[in-house]
Amino acid sequence: MSDLSFFDPPIEIAAGSPRQEMISSRLRASGMRPYPASTPIDFSAPDPLLIDIATVSRETLDGLSRATMVQVHRHIVILDLSETQIPSAGEAVLLRRDRDLSGLRSRLAALARRASRLKEAEARRDTASALGVRIPPADLNAVPTLLYLGEGSALFLSLQGLLRQRGIAVTAALSRHTAQQYMAERRFAAALVDLDSYKEEDSLTGHWIADENGLGILPVIALSHPGLPLTERQNTIIAQATEVVDAAGRMAKIVSLIETVCRRLVAFTPLMPHPGEHRDLTDFTTGLFNLAFMETHVARQMEIATQRAEHLSVLTFCLDPALSQSLQAQQDFAGIIRSQIRDSDCPSLLRPGTFAISLPATPYRGAIRLAERIASAIDKRAPGIGTRYGWRITEKRAYHTPKTLLVTGQVGPMLRPSIAA
């Protein structure tokens, strides 16, 4: 049997023996690929770094402190069992128990998604500026609204009053049906999901959030409870989250963290196409980004993916010729795309009946999951379209230009939804 562990995400481990062996073993069991830290540690390396506070040298701790001072952009994980004073580690992931290592892969996936989202928000503003459209800065006085999801959670009442005192409105939805109704009526800055409410594997709302991507484009703030063992479903929610907040310690501290995360999400939300807005950037028919925006933006995304050594995929949908002439079919298809993607995914209409979604930091298999989710939504909500379309995924390679990356998805063999099913 071939060893596929090479495809697991790597992580560098700074720890003394025998802790090094124990930590590496637990991380391998959770689907990561650990390797010993170099000497001296390179704090600018691309892979995440785990530091076991109790067993590393003073030199390593001093290096961590200096790296934090100059804001080195590397994902740092601090494993500190003794709760001793540690060097300021900015937004490092802090683990207080060895058993929390099992959920580290999901925590790192959330961090990577946050970094990708921030980079994409900046890139879209740059693209809009290059096309002569100025996007106004975020309103710092805006009142963010959170959608709270927690079945039977006692945490809501404690958070609600304190968050409102800080200018953040919170609406609670204790079921997926209520959440769907609220999301259809108004816009929220993010969904605040209490993981402790979804520890049962048969939770319908937990399944809706984790497996059906029920929250769609809405950013997710996951409230984690350090020390509690996480189920597979809870880890899936964390991996899909935009931000993770540890609900531990004084309530005032938890509320402060939620406020910081919420206002950051509002301030750095990627520009999204909406019907009637930014007409120089969007298609009049569907309200998605137009061809001119997409061609310029994909070039920018390719540069970022090369610099950060990340994946970039383009998912293309082509309606059958008869549907390509139908205004209603194109609007229905665009509406379903908008409801199923993340705000870091970039949707566009390249020409009548041909939709392309560029997916930063997303490999081929991630694009497949999105394609299947969109196909499932079309089957449920747009029976008039049925299976009268095909899709194809193109992952960026070194030989691609922005034009060939977009064109390849339109001319190659299409996978029909009847075959995909």
Side-chain angles (χ1 to χ4, degrees):
M1 180 181 294
S2 61
D3 183 7
L4 299 180
S5 62
F6 176 80
F7 295 101
D8 294 336
I11 182 169
E12 188 174 4
I13 310 298
S17 183
R19 294 278 298 169
Q20 173 94 35
E21 291 75 16
M22 182 277 296
I23 293 170
S24 297
S25 177
R26 293 198 178 200
L27 290 176
R28 275 193 293 270
S30 66
M32 299 198 71
R33 181 162 49 91
Y35 61 91
S38 59
T39 304
I41 293 176
D42 180 5
F43 284 93
S44 63
D47 294 340
L49 169 67
L50 184 147
I51 298 178
D52 185 40
I53 292 296
T55 60
V56 294
S57 66
R58 185 72 243 176
E59 180 184 1
T60 297
L61 295 179
D62 291 341
L64 172 62
S65 181
R66 289 191 294 270
T68 303
M69 291 177 188
V70 298
Q71 296 183 332
V72 172
H73 299 292
R74 185 178 188 184
H75 293 158
I76 305 292
V77 181
I78 303 295
L79 182 55
D80 182 23
L81 308 186
S82 60
E83 300 191 10
T84 55
Q85 187 67 32
I86 61 174
S88 175
E91 297 182 358
V93 176
L94 180 60
L95 304 181
R96 293 296 190 184
R97 295 172 174 84
D98 286 335
R99 65 184 179 185
D100 294 339
L101 289 168
S102 62
L104 181 57
R105 178 172 180 171
S106 297
R107 294 291 298 270
L108 291 174
L111 280 179
R113 177 168 290 113
R114 178 179 68 188
S116 176
R117 183 179 187 271
L118 293 175
K119 199 68 179 176
E120 177 65 11
E122 179 185 359
R124 288 190 198 176
R125 286 182 175 272
D126 291 344
T127 301
S129 177
L131 295 173
V133 178
R134 181 182 178 274
I135 306 301
D139 182 5
L140 299 180
N141 296 317
V143 179
T145 302
L146 291 175
L147 177 64
Y148 184 88
L149 290 161
E151 295 176 347
S153 170
L155 192 58
F156 171 70
L157 294 178
S158 303
L159 291 174
Q160 185 181 35
L162 291 175
L163 284 171
R164 285 184 173 172
Q165 290 176 15
R166 293 171 178 261
I168 298 177
V170 187
T171 300
L174 302 184
S175 71
R176 59 175 177 168
H177 299 294
T178 307
Q180 288 172 320
Q181 180 180 351
Y182 286 150
M183 290 167 63
E185 295 172 351
R186 70 195 85 160
R187 287 188 187 180
F188 295 93
L192 189 61
V193 179
D194 185 5
L195 290 174
D196 193 44
S197 298
Y198 305 110
K199 54 180 175 287
E200 301 298 333
E201 288 296 323
D202 58 353
S203 166
L204 295 178
T205 305
H207 175 80
W208 176 68
I209 297 171
D211 301 326
E212 298 183 27
N213 192 48
L215 295 171
I217 197 172
L218 195 62
V220 175
I221 303 173
L223 286 174
S224 177
H225 300 264
L228 295 179
L230 296 174
T231 64
E232 183 177 348
R233 178 145 298 154
Q234 288 172 319
N235 275 321
T236 302
I237 295 175
I238 290 177
Q240 292 180 347
T242 310
E243 302 273 355
V244 179
V245 172
D246 287 331
R250 297 176 56 226
M251 188 58 63
K253 178 183 176 183
I254 298 172
V255 169
S256 180
L257 288 172
I258 293 173
E259 180 189 11
T260 300
V261 165
C262 184
R263 294 194 181 276
R264 182 193 295 137
L265 285 173
V266 172
F268 297 102
T269 297
L271 170 68
M272 290 300 294
H274 294 287
E277 296 182 12
H278 309 301
R279 295 184 178 179
D280 291 338
L281 309 179
T282 56
D283 168 67
F284 177 78
T285 303
T286 62
L288 302 182
F289 287 122
N290 58 28
L291 175 61
F293 181 92
M294 195 63 168
E295 288 181 335
T296 304
H297 191 59
V298 162
R300 200 174 303 275
Q301 288 179 318
M302 291 178 69
E303 293 175 2
I304 294 172
T306 301
Q307 292 169 359
R308 297 169 63 90
E310 292 180 341
H311 298 279
L312 173 64
S313 299
V314 174
L315 169 60
T316 305
F317 286 95
C318 293
L319 299 182
D320 287 354
L323 283 183
S324 297
Q325 307 304 316
S326 167
L327 178 62
Q328 188 61 53
Q330 293 188 82
Q331 290 176 338
D332 290 345
F333 208 101
I336 290 173
I337 287 176
R338 191 180 285 109
S339 71
Q340 296 300 312
I341 61 175
R342 305 163 299 187
D343 56 6
S344 58
D345 302 334
C346 188
S348 66
L349 183 75
L350 301 184
R351 64 170 185 260
T354 301
F355 302 83
I357 311 168
S358 61
L359 308 171
T362 303
Y364 189 91
R365 62 182 180 275
I368 288 177
R369 287 195 292 269
L370 175 59
E372 292 175 341
R373 193 163 67 236
I374 290 174
S376 177
I378 290 170
D379 184 54
K380 295 176 182 176
R381 294 162 45 187
I385 296 176
T387 60
R388 299 161 65 189
Y389 66 92
W391 53 268
R392 187 180 183 195
I393 297 165
T394 308
E395 189 172 2
K396 183 188 85 69
R397 295 290 184 257
Y399 53 79
H400 277 131
T401 66
K403 183 175 182 179
T404 60
L405 185 61
L406 289 175
V407 168
T408 302
Q410 304 174 52
V411 299
M414 294 287 169
L415 185 62
R416 309 296 294 189
S418 57
I419 299 175

